[in-house]
Amino acid sequence: MTDAVRDMIARAMAGATDIRAAEAYAPSNIALSKYWGKRDAARNLPLNSSVSISLANWGSHTRVEGSGTGHDEVHHNGTLLDPGDAFARRALAFADLFRGGRHLPLRITTQNSIPTAAGLASSASGFAALTRALAGAFGLDLDDTDLSRIARIGSGSAARSIWHGFVRWNRGEAEDGHDSHGVPLDLRWPGFRIAIVAVDKGPKPFSSRDGMNHTVETSPLFPPWPAQAEADCRVIEDAIAARDMAALGPRVEANALAMHATMMAARPPLCYLTGGSWQVLERLWQARADGLAAFATMDAGPNVKLIFEESSAADVLYLFPDASLIAPFEGR
Ligand code: DP6
């Protein structure tokens, strides 16, 4: 199935017999141009490239070590998960890529630094941190590009969480996926800001994985999406390079709304946005008509993320006092 990744791990693994304790951190990320639709579900190969911004110290801290109990254990935010828990099963199935059929019980401990109040669950940072920690635990000598290819198998968006800052995930062309990985963009924008406007903090009823597969299979609006998203990536990268919010913001917002349009046209329809999300958007659009340069993007959930420059931060927080503010380049 995942032959390119399996071969890479097997090569790096040659001679590695014991497990040491290893810890890693990976930031969460928000796509400015979205990954939506796969051409290969087993390898998580996307139909289009995507561009993201990582969320600095909002992410996942993960520790991997041999389990003293003789069986696997997955701890999440201080709780030992039931073996049947969906996250535990996904994390252990992913660890099997490294164990390659050997009996090596693991203890995986993950702590999210993302405030629960932000309502931002993150498989992206979770699988990126798990990839780094597993590579460390098995003593594998892999570079970040290799780690991005592996993290992609856990969750597509995790391929971008290997780096801080702006990251492009190239869709790639190869059947085995070796050319489908993240690439850090050498573009800093110190004044770039993100605000998370939490609408609903609960878990989403329909995973992004199921949502995108259902959309690809049934939505008559999906076919034009991959080419449009590819074009959006190029415009968005150019706007980032020019630090041009007036060019970036409208394209980011249009890209997100186009993604949501594809799923609303699915049969049966799928809509992650709730009344609360639309209220946030309407307030934003009203404020924009009055001159505020802030723009929205939404993922597979109701919460709204805003992008803007530092000079607009006070106005954004006045409009949405409960929003969480993130400065992705601070201290970097
Ligand atoms: C809407 O990476 O969660 O957030 O590859 O199936 O694990 P899988 O999907 P996932 O999808 C993320 C979808 C998105 C857009 C994005 O982050 O690019």
Side-chain angles (χ1 to χ4, degrees), residues 179-227:
D179 54 356
S180 185
H181 55 78
V183 177
L185 300 181
D186 191 17
L187 299 171
R188 283 176 51 78
W189 188 342
F192 192 88
R193 295 288 180 273
I194 301 162
I196 315 278
V197 186
V199 170
D200 184 341
K201 293 144 198 158
K204 51 192 171 195
F206 210 63
S207 72
S208 38
R209 179 161 295 185
D210 293 343
M212 76 173 84
N213 292 338
H214 173 65
T215 303
V216 174
E217 283 159 18
T218 71
S219 173
L221 291 195
F222 185 78
W225 163 262

Side-chain angles (χ1 to χ4, degrees), residues 31 34-36 38 44 90 123 155-157 160 208-209 212 259 299-300:
K34 309 293 184 189
Y35 150 52
W36 194 247
K38 306 180 195 212
N44 278 339
R90 244 177 108 177
S123 60
S155 186
S157 50
R160 302 184 305 238
S208 38
R209 179 161 295 185
M212 76 173 84
M259 176 185 77
D299 293 291

Side-chain angles (χ1 to χ4, degrees), residues 13-22 64-66 98 102-106 134-140:
M13 194 80 91
T17 48
D18 57 334
I19 301 172
R20 60 191 94 160
V64 171
E65 60 204 313
F98 291 77
R102 293 169 299 170
H103 179 70
L104 295 169
L106 293 176
L134 281 164
F138 284 92
L140 307 190

Side-chain angles (χ1 to χ4, degrees), residues 112-255:
N112 256 332
S113 61
I114 302 171
T116 333
L120 200 85
S122 184
S123 60
S125 58
F127 279 100
L130 182 57
T131 301
R132 274 196 190 284
L134 281 164
F138 284 92
L140 307 190
D141 182 20
L142 297 169
D143 64 19
D144 282 351
T145 304
D146 291 335
L147 295 176
S148 173
R149 290 187 183 100
I150 299 172
R152 189 196 73 228
I153 304 294
S155 186
S157 50
R160 302 184 305 238
S161 268
I162 292 295
W163 294 274
H164 284 284
F166 296 108
V167 178
R168 180 182 63 237
W169 170 18
N170 286 324
R171 76 181 286 283
E173 302 293 334
E175 204 183 319
D176 70 1
H178 72 267
D179 54 356
S180 185
H181 55 78
V183 177
L185 300 181
D186 191 17
L187 299 171
R188 283 176 51 78
W189 188 342
F192 192 88
R193 295 288 180 273
I194 301 162
I196 315 278
V197 186
V199 170
D200 184 341
K201 293 144 198 158
K204 51 192 171 195
F206 210 63
S207 72
S208 38
R209 179 161 295 185
D210 293 343
M212 76 173 84
N213 292 338
H214 173 65
T215 303
V216 174
E217 283 159 18
T218 71
S219 173
L221 291 195
F222 185 78
W225 163 262
Q228 181 61 56
E230 220 47 74
D232 289 347
C233 284
R234 287 191 291 274
V235 171
I236 284 170
E237 266 191 68
D238 288 349
I240 293 169
R243 295 189 186 172
D244 184 350
M245 187 56 78
L248 178 68
R251 190 57 81 111
V252 167
E253 197 171 287
N255 177 275

